[in-house]
Amino acid sequence: MALLLAIESSCDETAVAIIRGHTGEAAEVVASEISSQIPLHREHGGVVPELASRNHSLHLRGLVEKALSDARVTMEDIDAFAATTGPGLASSLLIGSTAAKGMACAMKRPFLGINHLEGHLLSPFLDRTTVPPHIALIVSGGHTLLLDVTGPGSYRKLGSTRDDAAGEAYDKVGKMLGLPYPGGPEIEKAALGGNPKAYDFPRSMLHEPHLDFSFSGLKTAVLYTLQKETGELPVADLAASFQQAVIEILVKKTLRAARQAGRKQIALSGGVSLNKALRNAFFAAGQSAGVEISVAPPVFCTDNAAMIAFAALLRHLAGESSALDGDIHPNLPLV
């Protein structure tokens, strides 16, 4: 039985988690602490790197102590330490990575550097130590990535965004509509009272033979529509119509990928996977196509350390570790 402590600090969430697991048995997240910086960055309309790294430094030690206390373990009980080493903001990544390496060195334990995207990808399977073959859609503020997965560490990229990620488009359209940062959750709230057919926004690349995505044209279409509007802005209808276009693109392309790869399971992950309308659309499409849809529990969809701990646990159980002199990689690719 292995016990791992992991740190996630790739952007504006400071997170620490402790996980326990053994090959062939269900993994157990025994502690998960997150300090959100959303209120801090909201007044700036987006993440300010200097503020983010400064607050990681302020909160990290307290979160580590809280996680150890909640798990009722000591530093000596930890078998390995892990941290996100990319992709993300360089100044933020350095805080978590350096801290985890320091603890690993002090306790003479292995260190594992984890790809943030792999953490998201594996998060729908957090309750187990096996990952079945499936199609994975990672959809977040910075990434929209479609992969064929045969197992942990074995990923083949099928498609990605050629411009804005879906979550990035949500944030930018939210700003256009005068909604608070971050725009994703605010657009979802506004869309509840709107008509998704009020505006016929484009479904970019939906009928192209490839599996790449593009949301820049959709964002621009919303901007042009806003410029033509007079009087009170129909925010609810605009939000609902925009959201429906994003959902249709994501669902149809992912289902097409599953058909082409012959997969009967799809795993949805990343912050945008919290969107209830997106989840419901995937569940309905999966049921119709005979494809199982797996999504992480809501608490593990946004940036968190439990997903990093789980990815590290699988690698630790496979006998892997990372060099203590390894560097962070702000643009680290998954494949």
Side-chain angles (χ1 to χ4, degrees):
M1 186 66 70
L3 192 67
L4 275 78
L5 184 150
I7 298 171
E8 154 61 23
S9 66
S10 63
C11 190
D12 61 337
E13 306 284 359
T14 315
V16 177
I18 298 175
I19 196 168
R20 178 185 291 119
H22 190 277
T23 304
E25 297 180 6
E28 179 189 5
V29 178
V30 293
S32 181
E33 302 294 331
I34 302 176
S35 176
S36 175
Q37 297 183 22
I38 287 178
L40 178 68
H41 297 281
R42 178 169 284 155
E43 61 182 278
H44 301 284
V47 177
V48 180
E50 183 182 347
L51 290 177
S53 58
R54 186 187 307 163
N55 277 269
H56 288 315
S57 297
L58 286 173
H59 297 293
L60 185 53
R61 178 171 180 170
L63 292 176
V64 170
E65 292 174 348
K66 182 70 163 55
L68 290 169
S69 176
D70 288 350
R72 298 182 179 180
V73 298
T74 66
M75 200 72 80
E76 288 77 10
D77 297 319
I78 304 298
D79 296 304
F81 295 87
T84 306
T85 52
L89 300 174
S91 55
S92 290
L93 290 166
L94 274 170
I95 303 298
S97 177
T98 302
K101 287 178 180 178
M103 289 185 279
C105 187
M107 304 311 300
K108 296 181 172 57
R109 301 285 196 274
F111 166 76
L112 296 105
I114 300 298
N115 188 305
H116 179 80
L117 296 177
E118 183 173 36
H120 277 307
L121 184 152
L122 297 172
S123 62
F125 307 101
L126 258 168
D127 60 345
R128 60 184 92 174
T129 50
T130 57
V131 177
H134 67 277
I135 294 296
L137 175 66
I138 304 172
V139 56
S140 65
H143 306 276
T144 302
L145 192 59
L146 195 58
L147 305 112
D148 184 26
V149 179
T150 54
S154 181
Y155 317 126
R156 178 171 63 95
K157 186 170 81 169
L158 302 176
S160 61
T161 183
R162 295 189 178 184
D163 40 60
D164 291 349
E168 185 180 3
Y170 263 97
D171 286 341
K172 289 180 178 178
V173 169
K175 191 172 185 179
M176 291 180 200
L177 298 178
L179 299 173
Y181 171 85
E186 298 298 329
I187 285 182
E188 182 180 7
K189 289 178 192 175
L192 291 174
N195 176 10
K197 297 181 180 179
Y199 296 89
D200 186 21
F201 289 132
R203 273 66 167 164
S204 302
M205 296 184 178
L206 185 58
H207 302 294
E208 297 290 332
H210 57 73
L211 293 169
D212 283 345
F213 302 92
S214 171
F215 296 102
S216 180
L218 172 58
K219 177 193 66 180
T220 303
V222 175
L223 176 62
Y224 287 163
T225 300
L226 289 174
Q227 292 172 347
K228 297 175 185 176
E229 289 289 336
T230 58
E232 186 177 351
L233 201 63
V235 173
D237 287 347
L238 286 162
S241 299
F242 163 77
Q243 178 170 267
Q244 184 59 36
V246 173
I247 289 173
E248 187 175 336
I249 294 167
L250 292 174
V251 171
K252 289 189 174 181
K253 286 231 166 189
T254 306
L255 265 293
R256 187 194 307 168
R259 287 194 302 271
Q260 291 178 358
R263 301 297 188 199
K264 290 298 182 181
Q265 186 167 2
I266 289 171
L268 183 63
S269 63
V272 180
S273 69
L274 264 178
N275 186 293
K276 290 181 181 178
L278 178 64
R279 286 179 176 232
N280 291 338
F282 262 103
F283 287 135
Q287 185 175 29
S288 177
V291 176
E292 180 184 352
I293 307 296
S294 298
V295 190
V299 70
F300 297 136
C301 288
T302 54
D303 290 354
N304 65 90
M307 68 181 190
I308 302 302
F310 180 61
L313 174 67
L314 296 184
R315 292 187 176 276
H316 178 71
L317 293 175
E320 298 179 31
S321 65
S322 303
L324 286 171
D325 60 355
D327 205 354
I328 58 161
H329 302 278
N331 299 308
L332 181 67
L334 180 58
V335 290

